[in-house]
């Protein structure tokens, strides 16, 4: 399917500038046209009105007033001839270019007395007023109590000529304005978009070279383009951090997966190398099962760490039930361990039950396995705002500040000071921290050498996006 090539931003800006200019010129021209036309018409109408008053006064003066005027108009006594009307008009420069017509009604007859140049087509029954008839202005006045009408016509071609001249001026002014606005818009848009082209080139080079921490030209707190460049620079830096974390994560995951896989392969090869009795085979299979369990745990931890927030199954999660289950499992894992649960009241929060259950189990198992012989206390309480806190405390040897600062990093394993000789993948606390982030909560770790270790998982009452939650089953 063919797609029509789109205009560049510079061309679109120039076109919009031209359209805006054309619209402005059109509106101004229309306003001027109507204003000038109205002014010229009003001026000619006023001159005609003044001239009509002069002509009416002279006609009445020539024929007399009152009864004499009516008698003259009806032909009872001396009346006017067309030459008399021309003489009346020629007596003053103001009326010299006019044409008049007298119309009288009397005795069942209509008498019309026009000047020789009076134009045809002017109706006889026009009411009093001023009109425009084509290229002429027509004024009608009533004489002799309505028994006669004086019609005066003036040439109004000046109005049409003014309109035509205005149209001609607009015909070349509008294209000229469009061309100038296109040129000006193209030039200004080019100057305005020059930093954008620079930014585009820099972003392309950064993307092609992979140097995500390279400074972006023009980044700062100035205008909109500077802030855009700064946003891109910060985004690239976050992408670089994410890439580094991903690479570290993949390297560590590959290392931790390779070691148990290699051990498992070696154990299987050694078992199959020679015949053994049934008891020895059962022992070897138990060891292989242990290795497989470790691999399964590692895979589950990796999947939970990479879990998409959109895939979480939000519901009301009972923290006391999850903590009780974790304590029971810890007692089965280490029967000699002293693990207690303090949860006087049920506490429900919004969350993913599987992920939170694994997080609480990781905290409990971390205390039991890495502080052997210590007393472990799991406490569940509300936070006073509808949320909940799960706190796991042990009175073991604790860790120093340097180790505490790195706990929660994926695949970080401290030295033997707190491992107690156990293995692990360094993912337990990392998963708990990730679970806290996904639920809008926090994980707080406190410890000091010889002062035990405390991990507090705080969870808000509702999900970060405020979903409607299902009740716990």
């Amino acid at each position: 399917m063919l797609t029509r090539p789109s205009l560049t931003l510079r061309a679109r800006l120039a076109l919009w500038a031209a359209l805006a200019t054309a619209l402005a010129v059109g509106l101004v021209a229309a306003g001027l046209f109507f204003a000038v036309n109205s002014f010229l018409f009003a001026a000619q109408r006023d001159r005609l009105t003044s001239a009509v008053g002069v002509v009416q006064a002279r006609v009445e003066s020539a024929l007399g007033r009152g009864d004499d005027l009516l008698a003259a108009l009806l032909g009872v006594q001396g009346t006017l001839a067309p030459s008399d009307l021309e003489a009346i008009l020629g007596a003053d420069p103001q009326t010299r270019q006019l044409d008049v017509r007298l119309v009288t009604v009397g005795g069942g007859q209509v008498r019309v007395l026009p000047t020789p140049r009076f134009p045809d087509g002017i109706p006889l029954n026009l009411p009093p007023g001023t009109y425009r008839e084509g290229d002429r202005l027509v004024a009608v006045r009533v004489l002799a109590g309505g028994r006669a009408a004086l019609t005066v016509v003036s040439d109004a071609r000046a109005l049409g000529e003014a309109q035509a001249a205005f149209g001609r001026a607009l015909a070349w002014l509008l294209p000229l304005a469009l061309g100038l606005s296109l040129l000006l818009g193209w030039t200004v848009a080019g100057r305005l978009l020059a930093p954008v082209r620079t930014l585009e080139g820099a972003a392309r080079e950064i993307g092609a070279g992979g140097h995500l921490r390279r400074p972006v030209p023009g980044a700062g707190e100035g205008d909109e383009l500077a802030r855009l460049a700064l946003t891109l620079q910060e985004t690239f830096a976050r992408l670089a951090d994410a890439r580094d974390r991903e690479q570290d994560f993949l390297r560590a995951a590959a290392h931790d997966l390779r070691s148990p896989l290699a051990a498992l392969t070696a154990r299987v090869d050694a078992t199959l190398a020679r015949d053994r009795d049934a008891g020895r085979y059962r022992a070897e299979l138990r060891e292989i099962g242990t290795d497989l369990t470790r691999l399964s745990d590692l895979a589950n931890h990796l999947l939970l760490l990479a879990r998409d927030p959109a895939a979480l199954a939000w519901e009301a999660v009972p923290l006391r039930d999850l903590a009780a289950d974790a304590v029971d499992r810890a007692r089965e894992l280490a029967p000699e361990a002293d693990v207690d649960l303090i949860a006087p009241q049920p506490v429900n929060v919004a969350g993913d039950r599987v992920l939170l259950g694994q997080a609480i189990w990781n905290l409990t198992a971390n205390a039991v396995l890495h502080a052997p012989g210590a007393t472990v206390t799991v406490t569940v309480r509300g936070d006073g705002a509808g949320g909940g806190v799960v706190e796991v405390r042990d009175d073991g040897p604790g860790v120093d500040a340097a180790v505490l600062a790195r706990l929660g990093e994926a695949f970080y394993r401290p030295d033997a000071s707190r491992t107690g000789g156990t293995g692990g993948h360094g993912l337990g606390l990392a998963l708990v921290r990730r679970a806290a982030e996904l639920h809008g909560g926090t994980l707080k770790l406190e410890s000091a050498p010889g002062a035990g270790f405390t991990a507090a998982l705080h969870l808000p009452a509702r999900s970060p996006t405020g979903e409607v939650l299902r009740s716990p089953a």
Side-chain angles (χ1 to χ4, degrees):
M1 181 179 178
L2 296 177
T3 58
R4 194 177 299 173
S6 60
L7 294 174
T8 63
L9 181 58
R10 184 178 186 181
R12 280 180 283 173
L13 287 174
L15 286 176
W16 277 112
L19 290 175
T21 302
L23 179 61
V25 170
L27 291 176
V28 172
L32 287 174
F33 175 81
F34 287 112
V36 171
N37 193 53
S38 299
F39 172 77
L40 292 176
F41 177 77
Q44 288 212 1
R45 183 189 59 196
D46 292 342
R47 284 198 297 270
L48 179 60
T49 301
S50 176
V52 168
V54 173
V55 172
Q56 180 178 353
R58 289 177 181 173
V59 169
E60 292 176 346
S61 176
L63 297 177
R65 296 182 179 275
D67 295 337
D68 293 338
L69 173 60
L70 180 58
L73 291 173
L74 295 177
V76 177
Q77 59 187 37
T79 184
L80 292 176
S83 58
D84 297 325
L85 293 177
E86 287 189 323
I88 291 173
L89 295 177
D92 191 331
Q94 183 182 7
T95 61
R96 194 167 295 161
Q97 301 300 322
L98 301 179
D99 291 297
V100 300
R101 180 182 67 190
L102 273 173
V103 179
T104 60
V105 180
Q109 295 182 351
V110 177
R111 299 182 182 182
V112 180
L113 179 64
T115 56
R117 294 177 302 157
F118 193 87
D120 298 330
I122 304 298
L124 297 176
N125 56 349
L126 285 176
T130 303
Y131 311 94
R132 183 173 179 178
E133 295 286 340
D135 292 336
R136 298 179 179 86
L137 284 180
V138 179
V140 179
R141 296 292 184 270
V142 175
L143 303 177
R147 303 293 295 276
L150 176 67
T151 303
V152 182
V153 177
S154 69
D155 190 355
R157 282 178 295 180
L159 289 177
E161 293 172 355
Q163 293 174 359
F166 197 90
R168 290 192 297 269
L170 186 61
W172 63 261
L173 178 61
L174 186 58
L176 179 62
L178 280 174
L180 290 176
S181 62
L182 274 174
L183 179 61
L184 182 61
W186 182 264
T187 304
V188 173
R191 291 182 174 274
L192 290 177
L193 294 176
V196 176
R197 290 193 294 271
T198 303
L199 186 60
E200 177 190 2
R204 185 182 294 110
E205 292 177 3
I206 291 173
H211 306 296
L212 297 179
R213 289 191 173 86
R214 172 183 168 183
V216 176
E221 296 292 342
D223 57 11
E224 290 83 354
L225 288 176
R227 292 195 294 272
L228 174 61
L230 180 61
T231 301
L232 286 176
Q233 180 173 288
E234 294 172 349
T235 301
F236 288 150
R238 287 193 293 270
L239 288 175
D241 293 339
R243 183 185 62 183
D244 294 343
R245 288 194 301 269
E246 180 182 357
Q247 291 174 350
D248 293 341
F249 181 84
L250 291 175
R251 284 194 294 267
H255 176 271
D256 277 46
L257 285 171
R258 185 170 57 247
S259 297
L261 283 173
L264 179 60
T265 302
R267 189 180 300 278
V268 171
D269 290 342
T271 302
L272 296 177
R274 54 191 176 89
D275 293 337
R276 302 171 184 270
D277 56 31
R280 186 62 182 270
Y281 276 125
R282 282 194 295 271
E284 293 294 341
L285 287 174
R286 280 194 295 270
E287 293 296 332
I288 291 173
T290 301
D291 290 338
L292 289 174
T293 300
R294 290 179 179 176
L295 280 173
S296 177
D297 291 342
L298 175 59
N300 287 334
H301 280 73
L302 290 174
L303 289 174
L304 288 172
L305 277 174
R307 196 157 188 176
D308 185 358
L312 298 183
W314 291 97
E315 60 180 316
V317 178
L319 294 182
R320 184 169 67 172
D321 294 350
L322 297 184
D325 181 66
V327 169
D328 291 340
R329 291 174 60 189
R331 289 169 180 170
E332 295 175 1
L333 177 67
E336 74 284 357
D338 182 10
V339 186
D340 297 319
L341 173 64
I342 301 176
Q345 299 292 333
V347 178
N348 294 334
V349 297
D352 185 293
R353 185 173 185 134
V354 175
L355 188 56
L356 290 182
Q358 186 66 39
I360 295 173
W361 162 244
N362 284 1
L363 291 179
T364 307
N366 181 76
V368 172
L369 295 176
H370 297 299
T375 298
V376 178
T377 304
V378 180
T379 304
V380 179
R381 66 177 185 274
D383 64 354
V389 178
V390 179
E391 181 183 272
V392 180
R393 180 191 302 270
D394 68 65
D395 57 1
V399 297
D400 58 28
V403 173
L404 185 66
R406 296 199 59 190
L407 288 178
E409 295 180 11
F411 299 104
Y412 172 70
R413 288 186 290 249
D415 295 333
S417 61
R418 189 171 165 80
T419 61
T422 63
H425 307 288
L427 293 175
L429 290 178
L431 187 145
V432 179
R433 191 176 298 279
R434 174 63 174 161
E437 292 174 355
L438 291 175
H439 289 80
T442 57
L443 174 64
K444 184 178 182 182
L445 305 177
E446 296 179 352
S447 184
F453 189 90
T454 301
L457 173 63
H458 175 262
L459 299 166
R462 298 187 62 81
S463 65
T465 53
E467 287 89 348
V468 178
L469 306 177
R470 302 187 301 273
S471 299

